[in-house]
Amino acid sequence: MRPGRPLLFSLLCCTLLLTACNKHIRRAQGSRPQPFFTPAPADNDNMLMGNPSKATPDTASANNYLMQKPYYTLCYNRSTGKPNWVSWHISKDDLGSQSRANNFRPDSALPAGWYHVSDRSYVGSGFDRGHNCPSADRTATSAANSATFLMSNMMPQAPNNNQHTWASFENYIRSLVKAGNEVYVIMGSYGSTGTGSKGTLTAIDNGHVMVPSQIWKVVIVLPDGDHDLARMNSSTRVIAVNTPNINTLNSDWTQYLTTVDAIEAATGYDLLSNVADSIQQVIEARTDAGK
C-alpha cells in the first residue's frame, strides 16, 4: 500500500460508520410516537389567535383536551364537565336566517369511558345550559347551528347572566360583523361556585359538572380583509369582558370590561399567543371603551 493510503482508508471507514449510525438513529426516531403538532392556522381559522392553554388531543391530557370541530375549537376539561375555553371566528358568511336548533345533546366525540354530560344534566339546577359559542353566531346552515348545541360547548350559567348581560354583548358583537368587520372570539370560564335562580352551587349533575364563578370573553375586531395576523397592530380593537356567574349582575356588559392581561393572570392562559409580542404588550393591557 502506497504512503497516504492508510489514512485515506481510515477516513473512508469512519464515513461509512457515521452514515450507518445516522440511518439507525433516524430509523429509531421514526418508530417513536411523534409529539402533537398544530399546523400554522390560516385566515378565518378558529384558532388563528393561538392555543391559549397548549391543549392537545391526547386523552392523557384529560383536563386540557383539544377538540377541533368545524364550527369552533374547544379545550375540554373532563374533571369539570365543561370547556376551559372555546375559540371561533365570525364573518358575515356565518350569519344567516337559520332558526335555532335547540337540539341539546351529549358530544359523542368525547373519548370512550369519559362521562358524557347530557341534555338533562342541568335540569332543576337553576342554571342555564349556557353556550360558549352562541347559536346565533352560527345561523348560515342547519349543520352549523346544530353544532353549537353539543353539551361540550355548554357551561352552567346563571339565567340573568346568560339571557341578559351576555345576550346583549353577543348581539353587539354580531352588529360589528354586520357593519363590515370580522371577529375572532375566545370565551371561557373559571373558578368554582356560582349563584343561579335556585341559589348558590359548586356543582350540578351529581358532581359531574362544576359551576364556574367567572365567565369571560375576548373579542378581536378587524375590518373585513385578508392576512389577518399580519394586519394586526397596536391599534387593533380588543374587547375583554369578565363577569361573575351570578343572577343579580348588571345587564349592561360594559360594566364588566377588563383587559386581556387580567384574564390571563386569572386563568394562566396565553390568549393571543400567535400575535407578535410587541403588539400583544399594547392591546392586552388596554381596556376597551365599550359601545
Side-chain angles (χ1 to χ4, degrees), residues 5-281:
R5 286 289 180 86
L7 178 59
L8 180 61
F9 181 75
S10 298
L11 289 173
L12 179 60
C13 288
C14 288
T15 301
L16 290 172
L17 182 61
L18 286 171
T19 301
C21 287
N22 286 336
K23 285 182 178 178
H24 177 74
I25 291 169
R26 285 196 298 269
R27 215 175 275 126
Q29 287 176 335
S31 65
R32 297 173 187 164
Q34 296 300 305
F36 173 68
F37 173 72
T38 305
D43 271 6
N44 307 338
D45 189 284
N46 292 322
M47 286 182 67
L48 184 70
M49 295 297 140
N51 181 336
S53 60
K54 295 183 173 60
T56 72
D58 183 348
T59 54
S61 183
N63 294 336
N64 192 35
Y65 184 68
L66 186 68
M67 303 182 75
Q68 292 181 293
K69 297 180 178 294
Y71 302 105
Y72 52 88
T73 296
L74 67 94
C75 170
Y76 192 74
N77 189 313
R78 183 184 184 184
S79 295
T80 63
K82 65 178 183 64
N84 294 320
W85 53 262
V86 181
S87 180
W88 68 101
H89 172 263
I90 315 173
S91 72
K92 60 180 181 296
D93 294 334
D94 296 305
L95 306 180
S97 57
Q98 183 62 45
S99 59
R100 184 180 166 96
N102 274 328
N103 56 341
F104 293 94
R105 62 200 186 279
D107 190 343
S108 61
L110 286 171
W114 289 22
Y115 182 77
H116 283 45
V117 180
S118 80
D119 59 320
R120 303 287 298 170
S121 291
Y122 289 38
V123 171
S125 68
F127 290 90
D128 284 359
R129 295 169 292 192
H131 285 68
N132 281 265
C133 178
S135 162
D137 284 1
R138 294 289 184 252
T139 53
T141 67
S142 59
N145 191 261
S146 177
T148 68
F149 286 90
L150 291 171
M151 292 303 295
S152 59
N153 183 42
M154 303 298 157
M155 60 186 161
Q157 193 168 5
N160 287 336
N161 181 299
N162 180 36
Q163 298 168 30
H164 299 289
T165 311
W166 281 100
S168 175
F169 185 31
E170 291 161 4
N171 285 333
Y172 176 69
I173 295 167
R174 287 187 287 272
S175 75
L176 294 175
V177 175
K178 293 172 183 176
N181 298 288
E182 56 184 303
V183 300
Y184 290 88
V185 187
I186 312 164
M187 181 174 184
S189 56
Y190 65 88
S192 62
T193 307
T195 304
S197 61
K198 295 185 178 181
T200 301
L201 293 174
T202 298
I204 63 173
D205 194 19
N206 295 315
H208 286 113
V209 182
M210 302 305 293
V211 179
S213 59
Q214 296 290 137
I215 299 172
W216 58 268
K217 180 175 282 188
V218 171
V219 183
I220 298 88
V221 185
L222 293 169
D224 286 337
D226 300 318
H227 310 295
D228 294 343
L229 278 178
R231 61 197 178 98
M232 287 186 66
N233 56 55
S234 58
S235 297
T236 297
R237 187 181 184 191
V238 177
I239 312 169
V241 169
N242 191 357
T243 72
N245 188 22
I246 57 177
N247 219 32
T248 55
L249 78 172
N250 197 305
S251 60
D252 179 6
W253 59 267
T254 65
Q255 299 302 304
Y256 303 100
L257 287 162
T258 185
T259 66
V260 175
D261 280 343
I263 294 174
E264 289 182 334
T267 60
Y269 300 151
D270 185 0
L271 294 176
L272 307 180
S273 58
N274 285 348
V275 178
D277 287 343
S278 59
I279 297 172
Q280 283 190 59
Q281 289 173 8

